[in-house]
């Protein structure tokens, strides 16, 4: 069984722990050097730090409660919307393994989270200092977050299968890696795709890079012209016009202009990638972007 089909089956099996699914998906992202998936899955495995971009599915709005003299807890309502947002809005920073453990431990019960210093200070000024507050996080926040991770991994695996990337025999062929390089952001400096020669202080090396770049650009222009009809048949009018404009800018001597033109062409071609065979074109574009970046 190929790695991609294996991931699909794991993501569809409710008995498979999400932490194991994430580890398997991370190994695929590493082998294919898909940088955005590597970064996302690594954060899911290790947890999110302050300053990290937080996925929407990890965000929550808690319920504020105050402790009564008899030890019970009652909901508290705040009139100030800004204060309420600062206190009740949060995110789950834990790793998927920790989230799974919390979800199993709570067994449907809400999680109580103690307020931090600034939150306590805001409430003390607004309501009063002699009250103990806590935020209750609905238990379905954990299950929703874990389920969304499974869904996103499943959709990714299905898309890879659709593109012909299967990972048979626990590895990926050169052709599969080229397909991925044409579709995703890959790590050119650590992966198997290394269009940029990193040798320094070598006139021959620089000359070879210039020749390679020129040949690649010539090949790209020729392929775009060769596939022009098939591509344009799948585009809306404004995309056709944008593509022609970007192609014209490839003639510029300004590297930054060429770089932006390549980015634009790539974004347009990705819209038709499922209907038109543009994988080879996208590979060339990625090589040129890497050499200009």
């Amino acid at each position: 069984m190929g790695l991609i089909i294996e991931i699909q089956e794991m993501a569809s099996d409710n008995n498979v722990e999400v932490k194991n699914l994430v580890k398997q998906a991370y190994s695929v992202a590493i082998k294919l050097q898909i940088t955005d998936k590597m970064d996302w899955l690594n954060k899911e495995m290790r947890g999110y730090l302050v300053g990290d971009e937080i996925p929407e599915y990890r965000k929550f709005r808690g319920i504020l409660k105050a402790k009564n003299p008899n030890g019970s807890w009652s909901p508290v309502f705040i009139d100030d919307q800004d204060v309420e947002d600062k206190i009740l809005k949060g995110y789950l920073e834990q790793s998927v393994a920790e989230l799974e453990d919390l979800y199993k431990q709570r067994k449907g019960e809400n999680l109580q989270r103690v307020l931090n210093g600034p939150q306590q200070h805001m409430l003390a000024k607004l309501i009063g200092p002699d009250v103990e507050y806590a935020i209750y996080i609905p238990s379905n926040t954990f299950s929703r977050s874990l389920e969304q991770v499974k869904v996103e991994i499943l959709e990714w695996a299905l898309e890879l299968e659709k593109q012909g990337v299967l990972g048979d025999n626990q590895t990926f062929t050169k052709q599969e890696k080229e397909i991925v390089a044409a579709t995703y952001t890959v790590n050119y400096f650590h992966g198997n795709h290394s269009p940029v020669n990193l040798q320094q202080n070598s006139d021959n090396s620089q000359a070879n890079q210039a020749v390679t770049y020129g040949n690649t650009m010539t090949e790209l222009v020729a392929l775009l012209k060769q596939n022009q009809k098939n591509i344009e048949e799948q585009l809306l009018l404004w995309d056709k016009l944008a593509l022609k404009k970007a192609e014209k800018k490839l003639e510029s001597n300004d590297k930054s202009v060429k770089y932006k033109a390549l980015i634009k062409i790539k974004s347009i071609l990705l819209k038709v990638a499922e209907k038109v065979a543009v994988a080879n074109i996208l590979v060339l574009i990625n090589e040129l972007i890497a050499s200009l970046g």
Side-chain angles (χ1 to χ4, degrees):
M1 181 189 301
L3 283 169
I4 302 306
I5 301 301
E6 185 177 330
I7 286 177
Q8 291 176 16
E9 292 190 355
M10 291 178 70
S12 303
D13 189 344
N14 290 330
N15 294 318
V16 173
E17 293 185 321
V18 180
K19 63 183 179 184
N20 293 329
L21 170 63
V22 169
K23 288 177 183 176
Q24 184 73 330
Y26 183 65
S27 71
V28 168
I30 289 288
K31 290 179 179 182
L32 292 173
Q33 287 294 290
I34 303 177
T35 53
D36 58 340
K37 298 299 182 187
M38 289 162 56
D39 180 60
W40 169 57
L41 292 165
N42 183 55
K43 288 173 182 174
E44 289 294 334
M45 286 193 300
R46 303 182 185 281
Y48 287 79
L49 303 176
V50 175
D52 285 340
E53 185 177 352
I54 308 300
E56 285 299 318
Y57 59 80
R58 277 182 168 263
K59 297 177 182 179
F60 66 82
R61 187 180 187 87
I63 302 169
L64 179 64
K65 292 189 177 184
K67 192 172 185 179
N68 299 311
N70 63 5
S72 63
W73 293 83
S74 298
V76 176
F77 301 97
I78 304 174
D79 291 333
D80 192 315
Q81 188 64 50
D82 289 336
V83 173
E84 184 180 83
D85 287 344
K86 289 177 181 177
I87 291 175
L88 299 185
K89 286 184 176 181
Y91 65 89
L92 303 174
E93 74 277 8
Q94 298 89 345
S95 67
V96 287
E98 292 173 311
L99 288 183
E100 283 186 308
D101 288 341
L102 282 170
Y103 181 64
K104 292 174 183 176
Q105 291 168 10
R106 304 309 297 179
K107 295 181 179 178
E109 296 179 1
N110 295 340
L111 177 69
Q112 185 187 77
R113 175 177 285 185
V114 177
L115 274 67
N116 59 36
Q119 291 173 328
Q120 290 279 13
H121 182 67
M122 279 190 286
L123 286 176
K125 288 177 62 178
L126 194 65
I127 302 176
D130 300 323
V131 181
E132 183 180 348
Y133 301 100
I135 298 173
Y136 280 72
I137 304 172
S139 61
N140 63 1
T141 304
F142 301 99
S143 59
R144 185 183 70 243
S145 179
L146 293 168
E147 185 63 28
Q148 189 59 39
V149 171
K150 292 174 63 176
V151 169
E152 295 208 12
I153 292 175
L154 177 60
E155 289 179 346
W156 175 44
L158 289 169
E159 182 62 30
L160 287 172
E161 182 191 13
K162 187 176 181 180
Q163 294 172 333
V165 180
L166 298 175
D168 290 332
N169 300 317
Q170 302 297 300
T171 189
F172 295 95
T173 65
K174 180 181 178 181
Q175 182 180 6
E176 287 176 323
K177 291 178 180 178
E178 287 176 348
I179 292 172
V180 168
T183 309
Y184 297 92
T185 301
V186 298
N187 190 335
Y188 284 95
F189 299 102
H190 297 93
N192 293 323
H193 298 278
S194 301
V196 182
N197 189 329
L198 298 180
Q199 289 180 314
Q200 297 179 350
N201 302 322
S202 170
D203 292 339
N204 288 336
S205 173
Q206 293 176 0
N208 288 337
Q209 286 182 31
V211 170
T212 300
Y213 171 84
N215 290 341
T216 304
M217 181 61 78
T218 301
E219 186 178 354
L220 171 62
V221 172
L223 277 176
L224 285 170
K225 186 175 181 180
Q226 178 182 333
N227 292 274
Q228 181 179 7
K229 183 179 179 182
N230 291 335
I231 293 171
E232 291 187 350
E233 284 178 350
Q234 303 299 326
L235 293 175
L236 296 173
L237 177 59
W238 47 83
D239 281 330
K240 292 180 185 178
L241 296 174
L243 180 60
K244 288 181 181 294
K245 187 176 180 180
E247 289 176 346
K248 186 67 177 176
K249 289 182 178 180
L250 293 180
E251 300 173 7
S252 172
N253 292 324
D254 189 326
K255 286 187 176 181
S256 65
V257 172
K258 285 184 177 181
Y259 181 86
K260 291 177 182 178
L262 289 166
I263 295 293
K264 185 63 177 179
I265 293 171
K266 178 179 177 180
S267 68
I268 294 172
L269 293 184
L270 286 174
K271 296 179 181 180
V272 302
E274 293 184 6
K275 299 180 180 179
V276 184
V278 293
N280 290 339
I281 299 176
L282 289 168
V283 168
L284 293 177
I285 290 175
N286 281 336
E287 290 180 4
L288 290 166
I289 288 173
S291 65
L292 289 172

